[in-house]
Every structure is written in structure tokens, then in C-alpha cells.
Amino acid sequence: MTVSSIATHRRRAVTAAVGVSLLLVAACSSQKEGSTSAANSGGSGSAASACPNEQQAQEAYQKTWQAAEQQLGLSGIKAPPVKVCDVDTTKYKKPPKNGKYKIAFAAQGPTNSWAMENEEAFKYQAQQKGVDVLYASANGDATKQVDNIQQLASQNPDAMVVVPMGPGITGQVRAAVQQGIPVVLCAGRLEGDSGAVSTVARSYELQATLLAEWLVKQLNGKGSVAMLSGIAGVPTAEFQKVAAAKVFAQHPGIQVVTKQYTDWSPTKAKTVASNLVAQYPNLDGIWSDSGFSDLGVMEAYKQAGKQVPPLTGDSSNAFLKAVKGTNIKFALSAFPPEQSQNCLDIALDALAGKPVPNIVNVESAAYTNAEIDKYVRPECSDNLWIPSSLPDSLLKKLKLC
């Protein structure tokens, strides 16, 4: 496996055992996405007083964290408080025209394999549900997505699903909602009151906390750690970075010696890791948010003739195939691209006038090197995100397997 064999740039707005499962954590309210302070904790700020089942919802949310920590053999992880309520969507209820709904999809664009799978999963689900899709690619550009959302809204779709590329699209999302279009944020979130009826994504805080706690356990609470994040300013990188840093700060024996960005690129990650090897030759662990970055780390350490320290990341087949047969210790937590299917389902529920959760926390597989044989797909492409719930026929069509 060489760095050049992997896409050198990964940008995503934000991979679940076969059959991606979602835990819809819901209480009762008519609120949409909340204020900035609430969004920071993943919920709706103004919903606090209008959420009579808040305790029940919080208990359900806690279970998603408990399930995740059990997957990695951890315990005692505390989930941040989150306001989760149902959104009253009766005002969006409408019958499909000519038997079909028209759903706009403001996508990231197929800039990498994750984004490609995310979009193909959405289109596949739309086909299964008899939905017409209005598609617009941002090509990984948040500025372009601003125009995309405006153009899609001008076509009067019944609903819109947006994979947010950055906070700059908030005004356009709000404008679409004011036009009467229910908007679902998918695989990412926006701070503040965007007006979106629901946000469907794997919790950034859960993802980052899990991996940080696992690394602390591997090091018995003592050692030097480097933190490698994706693209500076992108929510997927920044929120995870903050959450992981909070974990390390709670353990006095853990010293974070450096925080670097890799742009989710194996090439840049190799350069960063080469500098780490030179500057911190006895580094005890690496917290990373990306399997792509981990590939570069592996090559840098191999080139230096050193053992790769325990490291973390998300779940790509490329990384698993590269570490198969080695003694590298790792923990991965998947960020399923297939969550776009559930984003579409939430949009359809809103058009049916059904209450929908303002937050859908995506459950996902988390595992270590001890379980590599369960997850690696040697017969499939490096570009496959693991595990995948896409049907074999579609994986074959996409040349992923």
C-alpha cells in the first residue's frame, strides 16, 4: 500500500454493522434546531421547557454512548447533556405530485470515496422509495454550496437534504425553510438556528471521546500523545479535536505534545508524521480522526524503521488492508456514508406530517485490531468504507467490490 494509491485529499462534512442502524432519540416538542449554545451540546436550546419527555430522551441518548464504549471495552464515559425533542411537521404534510416526491440533495460532491458512497446510497434509497432527486454537487466547496442551495430551492422541491460543508450556508438553509421547504442536515451539523427540522449525523463528541478514552487506556493513563486532525476550520475536524482534547486534559499523566492538521491526506499525513518521528522519537500514542491520515503515519514510521505507536481513526478498507498481518494496535470508529439513506427517510417522514427527532444520533461500529478479520474486506477496493450496508449489486456496480 503506497500513499499514491489513495486519494490525496479528503473533505467531508462529517462509516455501522451491516444494515446501518439509527437510534432516533426523541421526546416531545415542536422546536427545530436550537440556539448556538444548544447546538454545541447537540440539541435544541428553546426546547428545554417544552420537552416533557426530556429525561426519557436523555436516557435513550445515553444508551448510544454506553453501547459504543462497550464495543471498545471501555466504561464510565459520560455523554454531554443534549436536548432531544420531536419536531411537529404537520405544516409540511403534503401528498406526492403524480405519485412521487421531489427531494433536493445539496451534496458534498464525489470528491473522495466517502462522499461518493454517501451520494450513491442516497440515490439508491431514493430509487427504492420512488423519489425524484434534484442533485447539486458542491465539489467540496462551501462557497459553491451556497449557490447550490439557492438554485435547488428555486426549483420548489418538496424537501431538501443538505450535507453541510461549512457555517456559511446557514443563511441559505434558513431561507429555504422560510420558503416552506423542510430541510434535513445530513452527516454534519450547523450551529445556531438554521431552521432545519432534523440533523442526522454520528455525534462528533462521541466519535472523538471514544477514541481518546481508548488511547488513554492503552497507555495506562500516562504518556506523550500527538493529535492529528483533518482540515482546519471544518466542523468534522474541529469538534472532534476539542472533544478529544477535553478527554486528555482529564488525565494528568497524558501529555499532548503537538496538534497538527493533515487535510485528511495520506501524503500530508506522512510529512507530518515524519516530523513527529524526528521531533518526538519516543511518542507513545497518536490520536487521529482519519484512516486516510493513518496510512501516511504508517508509511512515515515504516520509512524511519520504527514501530507505529497505538493510533486511532475512522474505518476505511485501505487502512485495514494495510495493517492486516502487522502488530499495530488501533481503534477505529466508523462514520457510515450510508447515513444519507436515513436522512432521506427523515425528510419523507416530515412530508408525511410525522413527528421527527430534531437530532438523530447515528450508531456505528467501533472496534480494535483484535477484530480486524471481522471487518477487513480484502476482496474489495481500498475505497470502501467499513463496514458497508450497501447491497452487493451496488458495490459491484460502483467497482468497490
Side-chain angles (χ1 to χ4, degrees):
M1 175 68 61
T2 63
V3 168
S4 61
S5 67
I6 305 299
T8 59
H9 182 81
R10 181 184 185 202
R11 179 171 186 141
R12 32 177 200 153
V14 228
T15 231
V18 174
V20 177
S21 62
L22 297 181
L23 181 60
L24 304 185
V25 190
C28 296
S29 171
S30 60
Q31 304 298 323
K32 295 186 176 67
E33 268 193 305
S35 64
T36 299
S37 61
N40 285 334
S41 63
S44 171
S46 56
S49 61
C51 198
N53 293 328
E54 180 182 342
Q55 182 177 353
Q56 180 180 348
Q58 184 59 226
E59 290 173 355
Y61 182 80
Q62 292 281 349
K63 288 181 180 178
T64 66
W65 284 66
Q66 293 166 5
E69 68 176 1
Q70 288 171 6
Q71 289 178 315
L72 292 186
L74 304 172
S75 62
I77 296 179
K78 300 293 184 182
V82 175
K83 303 295 184 185
V84 189
C85 300
D86 275 357
V87 175
D88 182 355
T89 65
T90 53
K91 68 179 181 180
Y92 297 119
K93 184 177 181 179
K94 62 166 66 173
K97 294 179 181 178
N98 300 319
K100 283 191 174 184
Y101 285 116
K102 184 170 61 175
I103 309 295
F105 186 32
Q108 171 183 331
T111 55
N112 54 65
S113 58
W114 186 93
M116 184 269 287
E117 287 180 46
N118 178 262
E119 295 177 16
E120 292 297 334
F122 184 91
K123 294 173 183 176
Y124 176 81
Q125 187 76 346
Q127 184 180 41
Q128 298 299 304
K129 296 294 179 77
V131 169
D132 285 334
V133 177
L134 300 175
Y135 170 82
S137 166
N139 292 323
D141 185 343
T143 301
K144 180 173 176 55
Q145 192 171 53
V146 169
D147 294 333
N148 286 350
I149 294 173
Q150 291 175 331
Q151 290 295 324
L152 289 170
S154 71
Q155 298 177 62
N156 297 312
D158 296 307
M160 184 182 298
V161 174
V162 178
V163 179
M165 298 305 300
I169 67 169
T170 302
Q172 283 65 42
V173 170
R174 190 179 296 120
V177 172
Q178 292 172 347
Q179 187 179 320
I181 303 169
V183 177
V184 175
L185 301 179
C186 185
R189 72 189 189 212
L190 293 176
E191 299 303 279
D193 185 7
S194 69
V197 296
S198 184
T199 296
V200 180
R202 172 74 160 173
S203 167
Y204 297 140
E205 289 74 19
L206 172 54
Q207 191 89 342
T209 299
L210 265 184
L211 299 180
E213 291 284 6
W214 177 86
L215 192 55
V216 170
K217 183 178 179 180
Q218 292 301 303
L219 303 182
N220 294 314
K222 186 176 181 179
S224 57
V225 172
M227 295 182 65
L228 303 184
S229 300
I231 300 174
V234 173
T236 308
E238 299 297 351
F239 282 115
Q240 290 192 72
K241 178 182 176 182
V242 170
K246 286 181 179 179
V247 171
F248 295 136
Q250 294 168 3
H251 298 275
I254 298 294
Q255 181 185 10
V256 177
V257 296
T258 186
K259 298 176 183 179
Q260 305 270 350
Y261 291 100
T262 67
D263 292 347
W264 290 312
S265 159
T267 302
K268 182 171 180 178
K270 181 180 179 180
T271 299
V272 170
S274 295
N275 292 332
L276 291 180
V277 172
Q279 190 172 359
Y280 308 102
N282 298 314
L283 193 64
D284 296 301
I286 297 176
W287 178 92
S288 166
D289 63 5
S290 168
F292 272 166
S293 300
D294 293 344
L295 288 168
V297 170
M298 287 179 58
E299 289 210 5
Y301 272 82
K302 180 180 179 180
Q303 186 171 301
K306 294 181 67 67
Q307 172 66 31
V308 180
L311 78 168
T312 67
D314 60 7
S315 185
S316 77
N317 203 35
F319 177 73
L320 292 179
K321 289 166 71 174
V323 298
K324 175 72 173 171
T326 72
N327 60 351
I328 297 174
K329 291 184 178 181
F330 62 81
L332 307 180
S333 185
F335 215 111
E338 293 97 324
Q339 62 193 276
S340 61
Q341 296 179 325
N342 302 91
C343 301
L344 176 61
D345 289 344
I346 291 292
L348 292 175
D349 283 345
L351 293 175
K354 299 177 181 178
V356 301
N358 66 333
I359 296 172
V360 178
N361 187 31
V362 176
E363 287 195 3
S364 182
Y367 58 96
T368 70
N369 50 285
E371 300 174 277
I372 188 170
D373 289 339
K374 177 181 177 181
Y375 291 97
V376 65
R377 298 284 297 273
E379 80 283 7
C380 295
S381 165
D382 288 351
N383 291 327
L384 182 67
W385 291 88
I386 300 291
S388 175
S389 64
L390 296 177
D392 290 342
S393 58
L394 182 56
L395 292 177
K396 185 176 181 179
K397 177 182 176 182
L398 298 175
K399 298 182 179 180
L400 292 172
C401 286

